[in-house]
Amino acid sequence: METLRAILLMVLGMALLAGSDAFLKLASQLAPVGQVMMMLSLGGTALFLTVAWLRRVPLRRDEMLHPQVLLRNLFEIVGAVGMIVGLSKIPLSLMAAILQTAPLLVTLGAALFLREPVGWRRWAAIGVGLTGMLMVIRPFGTGFTGWELFPVAGVTGLAARDLVTRVLPARIPSLAVSTYGFAVIFPVGVALTLISDAPLTADPRIWLHMAGAVVVTTAGYLSVTAAMRLATVSSVAPFRYTRLVFTAGLGMAVFGERPDGWTWAGAALILAAGLYSFLRERRLARAVAPAP
């Protein structure tokens, strides 16, 4: 039952985060990246603080400074910068395809750092999935701009964040972890604003887009955090692929994007590799399960 609940939370989180991608892309078309990050951090942190107060969840200084929480926050920063810069520069459908490498990167990290067993078949699936990502970004193609590397770095940071989330002490509430993660983005946004020549904007539309982004991002963020703590990484990570459907659909419906054949082919390869890795993990789990 806990695993099913975690899966449903992950799918819900992916739908909400796809909406967040769309809102943030709309906002980044009107305001510089630093301003978008500051507004997202302020709104998200304020919302989480309010929820924590209503639920009487304590936010303790010793928990905030816990080494694993600090490490998670560092990866949160890497993920946020990579994703928001990427959203401002490349099509949403391309972002969706790159994001699908997250479960494979989580599996890779779980094998390397959490010592979860990964056989040669899943290693091969990881290689196939990364090949698919190269097909999507085409680093040596004429259409490559270099901005595609930001979401690659971002998705790597988010995968690392999820791995650290899995090993956080159980006594630290998920709501507190999420609050700390949003708060650390603000000073990074300030720094980016100071080094950027782009002026801040007071366009009323930016407030509408950011309000939408804050609501769906915080809800999705909390859903994913809770899902990663309810079940094993291998059980819930594959359901991140549902974000491809939600995000690509929004890219086509809202921004009129039409992904080319290479993008679809690369995304399909990533999806196939991830699903195979998931099915292989499930088969191995059943094989080693004790007989009733």
Side-chain angles (χ1 to χ4, degrees):
M1 183 59 69
E2 287 297 302
T3 299
L4 176 60
R5 183 184 174 193
I7 290 171
L8 293 176
L9 281 170
M10 180 62 75
V11 173
L12 174 63
M14 292 302 101
L16 291 168
L17 292 176
S20 171
D21 293 339
F23 277 122
L24 290 174
K25 186 168 183 63
L26 289 168
S28 66
Q29 294 175 345
L30 301 171
V33 169
Q35 180 178 351
V36 172
M37 292 186 68
M38 286 190 295
M39 295 178 73
L40 180 64
S41 176
L42 284 174
T45 303
L47 184 57
F48 275 124
L49 286 173
T50 301
V51 174
W53 178 74
L54 291 174
R55 294 185 178 181
R56 297 182 179 180
V57 175
L59 302 178
R60 300 165 55 90
R61 185 173 180 273
D62 61 322
E63 293 176 348
M64 187 186 308
L65 298 178
H66 191 284
Q68 290 176 337
V69 172
L70 293 176
L71 180 61
R72 185 187 186 280
N73 289 344
L74 175 62
F75 289 133
E76 185 74 68
I77 291 171
V78 174
V81 172
M83 300 308 295
I84 294 179
V85 172
L87 282 168
S88 70
K89 298 297 183 180
I90 69 174
L92 193 60
S93 52
L94 187 60
M95 283 285 298
I98 294 173
L99 282 171
Q100 301 321 300
T101 59
L104 293 171
L105 294 175
V106 169
T107 300
L108 175 63
L112 295 177
F113 302 108
L114 301 185
R115 298 183 179 180
E116 291 188 7
V118 175
W120 70 267
R121 292 180 179 84
R122 281 190 292 160
W123 280 114
I126 292 171
V128 170
L130 295 180
T131 299
M133 184 177 68
L134 290 175
M135 292 171 60
V136 170
I137 65 176
R138 281 158 278 169
F140 303 109
T142 56
F144 181 71
T145 64
W147 293 113
E148 294 85 353
L149 296 179
F150 278 89
V152 172
V155 76
T156 302
L158 295 180
R161 178 202 67 185
D162 288 346
L163 287 172
V164 177
T165 300
R166 182 61 186 165
V167 299
L168 286 176
R171 62 181 174 82
I172 304 179
S174 295
L175 188 58
V177 173
S178 300
T179 304
Y180 306 147
F182 260 93
V184 297
I185 298 174
F186 183 78
V188 180
V190 173
L192 289 177
T193 300
L194 292 176
I195 64 176
S196 173
D197 295 330
L200 301 181
T201 179
D203 190 318
R205 292 174 296 173
I206 190 70
W207 297 100
L208 293 176
H209 297 327
M210 290 308 302
V214 166
V215 171
V216 296
T217 299
T218 49
Y221 190 101
L222 188 57
S223 294
V224 172
T225 300
M228 294 300 294
R229 302 188 74 179
L230 278 175
T232 62
V233 170
S234 57
S235 296
V236 298
F239 290 90
R240 285 183 174 276
Y241 288 115
T242 57
R243 190 170 180 173
L244 174 62
V245 177
F246 298 126
T247 306
L250 286 172
M252 291 184 284
V254 178
F255 300 97
E257 299 172 0
R258 294 296 180 268
D260 61 19
W262 280 101
T263 300
W264 285 121
L269 202 60
I270 295 169
L271 178 60
L275 290 177
Y276 174 81
S277 179
F278 169 66
L279 292 173
R280 180 65 182 171
E281 167 65 24
R282 298 288 290 181
R283 182 179 303 173
L284 292 174
R286 288 196 298 267
V288 301

